[in-house]
Amino acid sequence: MSPIVAIVGRPNVGKSALFNRIARKQISLVYDFPGVTRDRVSHDCVWQGHPFTLVDTGGIGLEDQSGFEEAIQREVDIAMETASDILLVVDGRDGLNPLDAAVASKLRRAQKKRIFLVVNKVDSGKQADAASEFYRLGFSKVFPISAAHGLGMDELMSALAENWTAGEAPPDRSETQFRVAMVGRPNVGKSSLINALLKEDRVIVSPIAGTTRDAVDVEFTHYGQSYCFVDTAGMRKKGRIKDELEQAMTGRTAHTINRSHLCVLVVDALQGVSVQEKKIAGLIQDAAKPCVILVNKWDLVSKEALKQAKATNDQEFRKEYEEAVRRELFFVSYAPVLFISAESGKGLELWLQAMKKIRALKLQALPTGILNRVIQKALSLQNPASNLGKSMKIYYVSPKKEGVEIPTLVAFINDKKLWTPDYQRYLERQVRAEFDLEGCPLQWVVKGKSEAQMSPQS
Ligand code: GDP
Ligand code: GDP
């Protein structure tokens, strides 16, 4: 995960100029007066092999003529919420300004973030002394630079990059093992599928529903990555199909789903989707888990379908079948639908690939720059209908990286009341059209302006 560097400071100190200097592109406009609209707020950069995202908080939401105080508060909120490193920019020609001190004290609340005091507009050696008065802000080190002329940039960038590799958090142990829950009705072929995948007799397969099994986690490795099927036989513990059905619809399945990183919902191709599958899909949606839908026993269906000559070819029949499954299981519309046969082994490879892909997706944060472009474009094409007499503004969308299990987007907007489920679905479609997130749900956290101000640390 690459670090996010946020540029914060009062208007006109040269934040855009610094943004451009680091991004080495004229993508953020520089004007002589504060409060101008800017069209780029973040950019994915690389410095000496280190990827990072640069965010110009000053480009965010200034256009709504809010006061300086409010604008700066919002910048600080965004930086504290999203960034790992913060560049506090001050104006070396103007000297220390009370607003600088106010911003500095707000930033100090950010724990575990590195804050760099950058004194800009130090265009020549003669002005170097200008930087010293800023020590009064209480930072141990001050970086004098000239964004306009590119002076002092190496020192600043080296200091920034110092911790990026060395300080990286050790890999989360729970991430080394990927837990997969096989869920579905009894007899759909969950155990057979696991068996086929393992190509060994780790799981008992029996045509008699209700064979007693112990609750077990089955582990296997695929291309060096370790996976674990959780609670594979646990659902049969009581040994009777009625019990299992009841359990499947209640706590047991919910528990298994919650323990997992990925849910594989198995459907019997001959039986199709029933109310039980719908309930399970609902549980998967509630738990916001990645999901793959396997239509198993396809070997039987193909023969059947041919016999009855319902479709001209297998391909066409699959398409129809998939549409029907998607209609019924719309809760998990993000899940791929794969056709498989535990008996013949067809489709196993695709299933493995899907699991591998989803696993990689979970760990990957969306690139902030492209993401914001997608969102702004979506917003300009279609603003949510509102009876409140104002239109929604999305200042900035940031992928949340810490403490999340699935791709999560934090949207900073002007008024939470303007955000509707319909509009969220619309935005989600746009995001999914840009990024391939198949198999993964997308989570949204919406922050309204007033809320962000009341609890800047939340
Ligand atoms: P922002 O509002 O903080 O983003 O500030 P801008 O980047 O728009 O810059 C405000 C003004 O300061 C512009 O007129 C810039 O040309 C000027 N400026 C920015 N960096 C420097 C610098 O290093 N030296 C000098 N002399 N002027 C600068
Ligand atoms: P579970 O209860 O979901 O774990 O289902 P099992 O794996 O025990 O399978 C139930 C029955 O379906 C067994 O008789 C299997 O042999 C059969 N079965 C499973 N998968 C397939 C398949 O892909 N094709 C065919 N023809 N039969 C299958």
Side-chain angles (χ1 to χ4, degrees):
M1 277 172 211
S2 58
I4 294 188
V5 180
I7 303 176
V8 175
R10 61 187 177 86
N12 243 11
V13 293
K15 295 189 294 291
S16 292
L18 177 60
F19 183 91
N20 290 340
R21 173 61 61 183
I22 297 175
R24 285 176 220 273
K25 275 186 190 165
Q26 288 299 119
I27 47 177
S28 173
L29 306 174
V30 179
Y31 284 107
D32 256 340
F33 51 93
V36 292
T37 308
R38 292 161 191 180
D39 61 348
R40 287 289 182 271
V41 293
S42 74
H43 192 65
D44 301 314
C45 311
V46 176
W47 191 79
Q48 295 195 347
H50 301 288
F52 66 100
T53 300
L54 188 65
V55 180
D56 174 11
T57 59
I60 299 165
L62 280 180
E63 75 270 31
D64 60 357
Q65 281 164 6
S66 43
F68 279 0
E69 287 280 2
E70 203 186 315
I72 288 173
Q73 179 63 57
R74 195 152 61 237
E75 290 177 28
V76 170
D77 288 344
I78 291 168
M80 297 217 289
E81 176 84 27
T82 63
S84 45
D85 303 305
I86 298 171
L87 303 181
L88 169 56
V89 185
V90 296
D91 188 326
R93 284 196 315 198
D94 278 7
L96 192 56
N97 180 300
L99 264 175
D100 296 333
V103 177
S105 79
K106 284 189 173 112
L107 285 178
R108 253 188 259 282
R109 277 186 258 144
Q111 285 161 355
K112 288 195 221 153
K113 311 223 169 202
R114 298 187 304 153
I115 303 168
F116 298 82
L117 181 61
V118 179
V119 183
N120 188 33
K121 308 193 189 179
V122 181
D123 297 337
S124 70
K126 274 186 241 155
Q127 294 169 333
D129 284 351
S132 60
E133 75 166 305
F134 289 96
Y135 277 105
R136 283 183 10 221
L137 288 176
F139 293 89
S140 57
K141 192 156 165 46
V142 169
F143 295 87
I145 66 154
S146 164
H149 299 105
L151 304 174
M153 295 306 296
D154 271 353
E155 283 91 335
L156 177 61
M157 291 310 295
S158 307
L160 251 181
E162 205 169 298
N163 281 23
W164 284 349
T165 37
E168 235 168 58
D172 185 350
R173 261 191 62 231
S174 64
E175 283 302 345
T176 63
Q177 196 187 51
F178 194 70
R179 292 193 298 276
V180 181
M182 297 290 284
V183 289
R185 274 185 291 163
N187 255 354
V188 292
K190 299 180 295 296
S191 318
S192 306
L193 283 166
I194 293 172
N195 249 1
L197 206 61
L198 299 175
K199 292 199 185 84
E200 58 170 288
D201 240 4
R202 290 279 304 273
V203 176
I204 306 156
V205 186
S206 164
I208 308 145
T211 309
T212 309
R213 297 168 191 180
D214 297 315
V216 279
D217 289 353
V218 178
E219 288 180 40
F220 75 102
T221 301
H222 180 64
Y223 283 111
Q225 292 187 316
S226 120
Y227 294 79
C228 177
F229 287 115
V230 292
D231 288 347
T232 51
M235 296 168 98
R236 287 239 178 129
K237 233 171 162 181
K238 293 229 177 102
R240 282 205 333 223
I241 198 161
K242 203 163 143 254
D243 288 337
E244 189 187 343
L245 267 174
E246 273 161 17
Q247 285 169 23
M249 291 318 114
T250 53
R252 186 82 218 167
T253 298
H255 176 75
T256 305
I257 288 171
N258 282 322
R259 277 187 70 204
S260 72
H261 292 116
L262 167 70
C263 297
V264 175
L265 174 52
V266 184
V267 177
D268 183 319
L270 286 180
Q271 312 269 334
V273 174
S274 73
V275 67
Q276 278 104 354
E277 275 87 8
K278 287 191 201 179
K279 281 186 183 161
I280 297 173
L283 292 174
I284 296 172
Q285 183 195 34
D286 289 347
K289 293 292 176 179
C291 181
V292 173
I293 297 167
L294 295 183
V295 180
N296 188 36
K297 308 193 189 178
W298 195 248
D299 53 308
L300 300 177
V301 163
S302 297
K303 279 184 217 148
E304 196 80 357
L306 274 178
K307 236 189 279 167
Q308 299 182 14
K310 275 184 194 154
T312 46
N313 59 44
D314 191 55
Q315 192 104 9
E316 193 187 311
F317 188 63
R318 274 183 206 222
K319 212 174 137 243
E320 280 171 26
Y321 201 109
E322 179 178 338
E323 276 164 16
V325 170
R326 287 193 178 283
R327 252 196 319 276
E328 298 290 322
L329 300 179
F330 61 89
F331 310 94
V332 286
S333 58
Y334 52 85
V337 176
L338 304 178
F339 296 89
I340 200 163
S341 166
E343 189 86 2
S344 74
K346 277 217 178 96
L348 284 173
E349 194 50 45
L350 284 177
W351 174 27
L352 275 168
Q353 278 169 21
M355 291 201 287
K356 194 174 163 202
K357 193 181 125 194
I358 290 169
R359 180 181 192 155
L361 256 184
K362 276 164 48 72
L363 298 173
Q364 176 201 318
L366 303 178
T368 316
I370 304 170
L371 179 65
N372 277 280
R373 248 163 278 156
V374 170
I375 296 288
Q376 292 307 332
K377 188 168 164 223
L379 197 61
S380 71
L381 288 176
Q382 186 183 321
N383 208 290
S386 162
N387 50 14
L388 297 170
K390 61 174 169 176
S391 57
M392 183 169 78
K393 284 179 187 141
I394 301 177
Y395 301 120
Y396 182 61
V397 172
S398 164
K400 193 167 181 202
K401 295 183 177 181
E402 277 151 36
V404 291
E405 283 228 336
I406 53 167
T408 301
L409 302 179
V410 186
F412 295 89
I413 72 172
N414 57 334
D415 187 344
K416 255 173 116 164
K417 287 201 282 294
L418 299 169
W419 184 275
T420 62
D422 271 350
Y423 200 70
Q424 178 171 317
R425 277 191 288 275
Y426 163 70
L427 284 182
E428 186 159 333
R429 279 198 299 277
Q430 309 302 311
V431 172
R432 286 184 184 274
E434 178 73 30
F435 304 103
D436 180 6
L437 298 175
E438 195 182 40
C440 262
L442 192 61
Q443 196 153 271
W444 294 84
V445 178
V446 181
K447 302 231 165 192
K449 196 151 79 178
S450 52
E451 184 200 32
Q453 274 157 10
M454 274 156 61
S455 54
Q457 298 219 72
S458 68

